[in-house]
């Protein structure tokens, strides 16, 4: 158990006013900022109900590093009315027909649906719920692959850096292919042995688990099939997925992945930011299953609260504006830049960007879009990335600093991911970090939210941490609309719960550092504290 010292956040006592009817609001009493608890760690395994909403729970009451969202609603927002806030989701697409999202989908009232006319004259025909900058594209190249193919369009240093990444990927793919081939062979052999053992091909999981044999071959086969079953797959499904992965690795080794130009079906010039007449209004995308990531992100922000369906979103009183710009592969800088501008121009006050990459040949287009958002008072919340790397040293785009030191805008906040285990392992093993370029941390492991076709899943990544913060940002902007994007950014950072103890970084038990060195703030986002600070600042 970790010895958490008392962390004295600024001794801030705030009187929270209740608008017109102070007598109805219990939070009219003096409220105190939440601090990290001392010598407390969750001992029991989380129940399903706790797990599915752990990011909403309270670090003191529940001993889980959540954002105290439920407490904020119960104590600070009761009887308060907020302003409707549009949140732009730049992602893989969203299932806007999902049962827990369709009521919060943004609708462009300036457009007449289905008339084939650009009624609002913004350059996008029938953009009723947003815009799809990818058209029917699902798969895409990675940016380093595009750089290698377009060698003549980039500088020599960038090309050589991309080539070095590709060379390393080939070595890795060769090793991975050998492992996958052995796994496939072992699974096939195990199936043969167990088919003979049972005298049938359709043996069940229960029958495999019940095997009690001293025969070494049967015992080994049992373990192999149990391993397959642990992935939630049947043997045929497992072998199908293995084959797909084998083909993927073979494409890297042979260079076949460099030959496909997925972009050509769009018909635009990705090297020309002024060429904007492309894409369509199908914000789900051509394959609804590929909208899984964006649908999950949207759900974290805005699933209807307390409707007994699926999970609860962080923010109430929001509308989700969809920008489909992130494929299965690396996003184009052009799509990101235009997507940000589209969301800004259509009223978004918060934009979530759960994507990123290590190369950005047209980064200036994105920088200009970030600065444009700043000029329109729009906050951009961005995922720090999942490579367990220090982005003060390693390249990670988009960002708000070309030299990794000096910010050119103050409306972008970068989010690292927290594990649900409060203590030494509180930082998600995959999360990027950086004392300068990561601003704050938030829940990002096993986050429960909507997925396509009225389903729900637990997913993880800084992709999940970012919309958790975007939801809190939307809450602040809803209930305290006079606060600027810059003020909201710094409230999220300054009001967080500070952790000063040592934590494991990158899942490596030998890499232990002070949590204070992993982000600019050294804190974890807390909605309760943020709303208290917003109340004070708004006065």
């Amino acid at each position: 158990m970790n010895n958490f010292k008392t962390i004295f956040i600024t001794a801030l006592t705030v009187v929270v006013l209740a608008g017109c009817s102070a007598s109805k609001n219990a939070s009219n009493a003096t409220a105190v900022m939440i601090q990290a608890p001392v010598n407390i760690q969750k001992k029991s395994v989380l129940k399903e109900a706790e797990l599915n909403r752990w990011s909403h729970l309270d670090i003191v009451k529940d001993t889980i590093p959540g954002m105290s969202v439920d407490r904020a609603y119960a104590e600070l927002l009761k009887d308060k009315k907020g302003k409707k806030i549009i949140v732009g989701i730049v992602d893989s697409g969203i299932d806007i027909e999902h049962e827990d999202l369709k009521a919060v989908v943004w609708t462009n009232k300036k457009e007449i649906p289905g008339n084939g006319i650009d009624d609002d004259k913004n350059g996008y025909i029938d953009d009723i719920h947003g815009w799809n900058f990818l058209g029917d594209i699902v798969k895409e190249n990675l940016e380093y692959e595009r750089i290698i193919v377009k060698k003549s369009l980039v500088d020599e240093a960038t090309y050589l850096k991309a080539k070095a990444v590709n060379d390393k990927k080939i070595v890795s793919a060769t090793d991975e292919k050998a492992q996958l081939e052995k796994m496939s062979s072992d699974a096939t052999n195990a199936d043969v042995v167990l088919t003979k053992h049972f005298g049938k091909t359709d043996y069940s999981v229960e029958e495999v688990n019940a095997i009690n044999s001293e025969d070494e071959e049967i015992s080994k086969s049992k373990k192999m099939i149990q391993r397959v079953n642990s992935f939630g797959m049947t043997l045929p499904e497992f072998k199908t997925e293995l084959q797909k992965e084998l083909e993927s690795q073979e494409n890297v080794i042979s260079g076949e992945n460099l030959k496909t130009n997925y972009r050509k079906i769009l018909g635009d010039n990705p090297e020309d930011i002024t060429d904007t007449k492309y894409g369509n209004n199908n914000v789900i995308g051509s394959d609804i299953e590929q909208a899984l990531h964006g649908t999950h992100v949207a759900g974290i922000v805005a699933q209807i609260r307390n409707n007994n369906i699926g999970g609860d979103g962080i923010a109430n009183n929001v509308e989700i504006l969809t920008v489909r710009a992130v494929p299965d592969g690396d996003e184009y800088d052009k799509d990101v830049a235009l997507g940000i501008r589209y969301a800004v121009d259509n009223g978004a006050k918060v934009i979530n960007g759960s994507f990123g990459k290590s190369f950005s040949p047209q980064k200036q287009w994105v920088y200009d879009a970030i600065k444009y958002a700043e000029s329109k008072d729009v906050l951009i919340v961005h995922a720090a990335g999942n490579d367990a790397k220090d982005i003060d040293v390693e390249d990670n785009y988009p960002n708000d600093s070309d030299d990794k030191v000096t910010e050119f805008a103050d409306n972008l906040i970068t989010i690292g991911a927290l594990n649900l285990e409060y203590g030494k392992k509180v930082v998600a093993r995959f999360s990027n970090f950086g004392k300068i370029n990561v601003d704050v941390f938030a829940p990002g492991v096993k986050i429960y939210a909507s997925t396509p076709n009225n389903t729900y899943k637990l997913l993880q990544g800084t992709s999940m941490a970012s919309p958790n913060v975007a939801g809190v940002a939307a809450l602040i902007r809803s209930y305290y609309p006079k606060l600027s994007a810059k003020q909201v950014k710094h409230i999220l950072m300054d009001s967080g719960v500070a952790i000063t103890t040592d934590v494991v970084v990158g899942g490596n038990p030998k890499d232990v550092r002070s949590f204070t060195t992993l982000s600019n703030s050294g804190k974890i986002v807390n909605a309760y504290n943020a709303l208290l600070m917003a109340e004070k600042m708004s006065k």
Side-chain angles (χ1 to χ4, degrees):
M1 181 179 293
N2 283 322
N3 233 349
F4 276 79
K5 297 179 181 177
T6 303
I7 299 162
F8 292 103
I9 300 177
T10 306
L12 181 60
T13 312
V14 185
V15 176
V16 182
L17 302 179
C20 298
S21 182
S23 63
K24 291 185 178 180
N25 196 339
S27 62
N28 194 32
T30 300
V32 181
M33 298 275 276
I34 294 170
Q35 303 173 26
V38 182
N39 298 334
I40 296 177
Q41 191 171 13
K42 192 78 171 177
K43 295 183 177 66
S44 59
V45 176
L46 295 184
K47 297 177 182 177
E48 184 178 359
E50 289 180 309
L51 178 62
N52 287 352
R53 60 182 305 103
W54 78 266
S55 63
H56 298 242
L57 300 183
D58 186 72
I59 193 169
V60 176
K61 177 185 175 184
D62 304 300
T63 63
I64 297 168
M67 302 188 299
S68 305
V69 177
D70 291 344
R71 182 175 173 183
Y73 275 101
E75 298 181 22
L76 303 180
L77 298 180
K78 186 179 180 181
D79 300 325
K80 276 180 161 298
K81 290 185 178 180
K83 173 186 175 183
K84 186 77 73 176
I85 294 294
I86 298 172
V87 179
I89 305 291
V90 181
D91 216 291
S92 64
I94 297 174
D95 179 3
I96 58 174
E97 297 299 326
H98 193 286
E99 62 182 3
D100 214 10
L101 290 177
K102 59 185 178 182
V104 296
V105 172
W106 171 80
T107 298
N108 183 357
K109 295 183 175 66
K110 298 177 182 178
E111 278 289 323
I112 300 173
N115 68 352
I117 299 172
D118 182 13
D119 299 292
D120 59 3
K121 297 181 172 53
N122 68 349
Y124 303 98
I125 297 172
D126 288 341
D127 55 323
I128 307 302
H129 301 299
W131 194 251
N132 173 8
F133 286 93
L134 301 179
D136 292 334
I137 290 175
V138 173
K139 176 75 176 172
E140 251 299 351
N141 297 105
L142 298 173
E143 194 66 74
Y144 77 85
E145 296 171 339
R146 296 194 288 253
I147 288 171
I148 291 172
V149 172
K150 298 182 291 188
K151 178 180 179 181
S152 61
L153 299 178
V154 299
D155 61 86
E156 184 70 10
T158 300
Y159 169 75
L160 291 176
K161 189 175 181 180
K163 186 177 183 303
V165 171
N166 191 53
D167 291 345
K168 187 176 180 180
K169 292 280 187 181
I170 291 173
V171 173
S172 177
T174 302
D175 292 341
E176 181 75 13
K177 181 186 175 187
Q179 293 175 23
L180 292 170
E181 287 173 336
K182 184 178 186 308
M183 194 180 297
S184 179
S185 175
D186 288 348
T188 298
N189 292 338
D191 184 41
V192 170
V193 170
L194 295 190
T195 295
K196 182 178 179 181
H197 172 73
F198 289 115
K200 60 181 180 179
T201 59
D202 58 343
Y203 51 85
S204 67
V205 173
E206 291 74 20
E207 287 174 316
V208 171
N209 292 338
I211 290 176
N212 184 16
S213 174
E214 295 182 0
D215 186 291
E216 184 177 348
E217 191 174 26
I218 293 175
S219 178
K220 182 179 178 181
S221 298
K222 171 186 175 181
K223 290 179 180 178
M224 183 65 216
I225 298 302
Q226 284 179 320
R227 183 181 179 190
V228 170
N229 294 335
S230 72
F231 298 132
M233 300 180 188
T234 63
L235 184 60
E237 289 171 340
F238 179 70
K239 296 183 76 170
T240 297
E241 291 303 314
L242 272 181
Q243 187 57 40
K244 288 180 183 177
E245 190 58 33
L246 276 167
E247 291 173 2
S248 176
Q249 301 304 330
E250 182 56 43
N251 287 340
V252 173
I253 297 167
S254 66
E256 189 65 32
N257 58 313
L258 302 177
K259 299 176 183 178
T260 305
N261 180 5
Y262 298 97
R263 187 75 178 192
K264 65 182 180 181
I265 67 173
L266 269 183
D268 76 312
N269 178 4
E271 311 301 326
D272 182 3
I273 192 68
T274 67
D275 179 7
T276 62
K277 307 295 184 182
Y278 67 99
N280 60 46
N281 69 346
N282 178 11
V283 296
I284 297 175
S286 58
D287 180 356
I288 194 171
E289 290 303 326
Q290 293 300 320
L292 181 145
H293 190 273
T295 304
H296 197 267
V297 166
I300 294 170
V301 176
Q303 289 171 131
I304 303 298
R305 292 184 63 82
N306 304 317
N307 65 349
N308 296 317
I309 298 176
D312 283 348
I314 300 296
N316 60 1
N317 214 17
V318 294
E319 292 181 343
I320 294 299
L321 183 158
T322 306
V323 175
R324 185 170 183 264
V326 183
D328 178 12
D330 279 344
E331 60 280 356
Y332 272 86
D333 293 329
K334 175 182 173 180
D335 299 338
V336 171
L338 292 178
I340 290 173
R341 288 177 178 271
Y342 177 88
V344 170
D345 289 341
N346 284 280
K349 300 308 292 181
V350 177
I351 296 174
N352 187 81
S354 289
F355 55 84
K357 56 186 180 178
S358 299
F359 291 87
S360 184
Q362 304 290 359
K363 60 186 178 182
Q364 191 60 50
W365 293 347
V366 183
Y367 291 166
D368 290 343
I370 292 170
K371 287 186 279 189
Y372 177 70
E374 182 182 43
S375 74
K376 300 294 185 180
D377 191 35
V378 179
L379 179 69
I380 300 174
V381 186
H382 182 245
N386 304 324
D387 301 309
K389 68 183 183 182
D390 184 349
I391 60 174
D392 287 350
V393 178
E394 304 287 343
D395 289 336
N396 189 64
Y397 300 98
N399 54 34
D400 55 3
S401 174
D402 196 33
D403 62 2
K404 301 186 182 69
V405 177
T406 307
E407 291 186 355
F408 57 76
D410 201 17
N411 67 317
L412 186 143
I413 182 169
T414 301
I415 315 300
L418 293 173
N419 184 20
L420 50 78
E421 184 178 341
Y422 181 46
K424 201 167 187 177
K425 297 180 181 179
V426 73
V427 174
R429 61 187 297 119
F430 52 77
S431 181
N432 286 349
F433 54 92
K435 178 63 176 173
I436 300 173
N437 290 290
V438 173
D439 292 306
V440 69
F441 277 74
V445 171
K446 293 186 178 179
I447 305 299
Y448 187 70
S450 50
T451 46
N453 295 314
N454 298 332
T455 58
Y456 304 85
K457 289 184 179 179
L458 292 165
L459 298 179
Q460 63 184 26
T462 56
S463 284
M464 283 65 247
S466 182
N468 267 316
V469 178
V472 178
L475 270 182
I476 298 171
R477 303 216 78 175
S478 174
Y479 289 94
Y480 301 96
K482 292 182 180 179
L483 296 177
S484 68
K486 176 180 178 179
Q487 287 175 310
V488 174
K489 170 184 174 177
H490 289 282
I491 285 172
L492 290 166
M493 294 170 64
D494 298 341
S495 69
V497 175
I499 295 179
T500 59
T501 53
D502 290 344
V503 297
V504 173
V505 178
N508 180 3
K510 295 182 180 179
D511 188 353
V512 178
R513 315 183 196 186
S514 171
F515 186 83
T516 62
T517 68
L518 303 182
S519 70
N520 190 300
S521 67
K523 298 179 180 180
I524 65 178
V525 169
N526 187 277
Y528 185 90
N529 286 356
L531 289 165
L532 285 178
M533 188 173 283
E535 172 76 21
K536 182 178 181 181
M537 190 174 290
S538 68
K539 296 177 181 178

